[in-house]
Amino acid sequence: MFQMPPMESIMQHTLSNSDVFNITSSQWVEAFKEHQCFALNQAAHSKQAFQVTSQELLMSLYDNWFEWLLNTESMMGAVQNIDNKLLAVTSEQSRNLSHRIFDSYTASASYEPKLLKLWQPAYLLAHQAFTSYLPKIISQSPDVAFAMLSEQLLAFMQHCLLTLHEVDSLLYQPTQTAFISVDDFCCHIFDLQGEDLSIKRLKIYQSHSKVTDNSWSNWTIKQYSQAPNSVKIESNLQRQLTR
């Protein structure tokens, strides 16, 4: 999981609550933009660069979630504690975001239906898992709540990047061995909610095999997490792949 270094204790005693929130939130907003820059650079310039249509979808994803993060920052900065009303608004805005992401992508010149058909259900699994995490910030001070939310959001965005890499490879790099990823977000959600996103995603890919000429008969597992339960998730995938 992404973590921001703790604020010096002296600052906690000399700064007002609003100042602490502004410093904390600005650090996390900057961290999001840095991650966005890294992700888009990887998608465009790495050895396994994404197709242009996948890059367009990734850009839509980051732009919309960044706007959501800024809106959330504005709302949290205006309260003393996170209550049910603010949580309800934040959660509703999160749930509605998927429609904006998909609408933005389908309106682009590089839109390809087969990409959205395969990636959308896998993305929605993770999106729902992220939204289900939000109640954990209830009753927290705004700075703590925003840090918790932002940390989880960055892990979610990394997960989305890896998921899109999987789909882009499946659809546009048929000579490559198909792969499924295990990352920190998957492991955290497995601990919190008991949901195995990697297994569910694999089943989605296998059920949509007709969208490509590749038979996807050979798979490999890419391990990106050192979480204690990552080995268990990988073992579950191995069993699914050998059925």
Side-chain angles (χ1 to χ4, degrees), residues 47-182:
K47 291 182 179 179
Q48 293 182 319
F50 294 3
Q51 294 294 307
V52 171
T53 185
S54 299
Q55 294 180 37
E56 188 75 28
L57 179 53
L58 187 65
M59 189 177 301
S60 174
L61 183 74
Y62 271 97
D63 286 347
N64 279 281
W65 275 107
F66 183 63
E67 183 177 345
W68 177 85
L69 184 64
L70 293 182
N71 287 338
T72 302
E73 179 189 27
S74 178
M75 290 189 295
M76 288 188 176
V79 300
Q80 295 298 315
N81 285 288
I82 308 304
D83 58 17
N84 286 311
K85 182 178 179 180
L86 188 147
L87 177 64
V89 173
T90 302
S91 299
E92 182 66 18
Q93 290 179 348
S94 171
R95 284 190 291 269
N96 292 336
L97 204 58
S98 59
H99 301 294
R100 293 174 55 189
I101 292 167
F102 301 143
D103 288 347
S104 176
Y105 171 64
T106 55
S108 69
S110 62
Y111 165 61
E112 287 198 16
K114 68 177 183 180
L115 175 63
L116 194 59
K117 180 180 180 181
L118 187 57
W119 184 76
Q120 183 174 8
Y123 167 78
L124 289 175
L125 282 174
H127 189 148
Q128 177 58 42
F130 173 76
T131 302
S132 297
Y133 169 83
L134 295 181
K136 288 192 171 295
I137 68 174
I138 198 74
S139 300
Q140 298 286 349
S141 63
D143 60 303
V144 172
F146 192 80
M148 292 172 61
L149 177 151
S150 299
E151 180 182 11
Q152 188 73 353
L153 177 60
L154 283 175
F156 168 63
M157 298 304 295
Q158 177 70 12
H159 174 82
C160 292
L161 173 64
L162 295 174
T163 300
L164 190 54
H165 187 196
E166 294 168 352
V167 172
D168 185 87
S169 180
L170 287 169
L171 293 176
Y172 304 113
Q173 301 180 44
T175 60
Q176 298 290 327
T177 301
F179 63 91
I180 193 81
S181 307
V182 178

Side-chain angles (χ1 to χ4, degrees), residues 169-199:
S169 180
L170 287 169
L171 293 176
Y172 304 113
Q173 301 180 44
T175 60
Q176 298 290 327
T177 301
F179 63 91
I180 193 81
S181 307
V182 178
D183 61 276
D184 286 338
F185 184 77
C186 287
C187 296
H188 195 208
I189 294 302
F190 188 80
D191 270 347
L192 292 177
Q193 303 172 18
E195 296 286 340
D196 192 333
L197 297 180
S198 295
I199 285 287

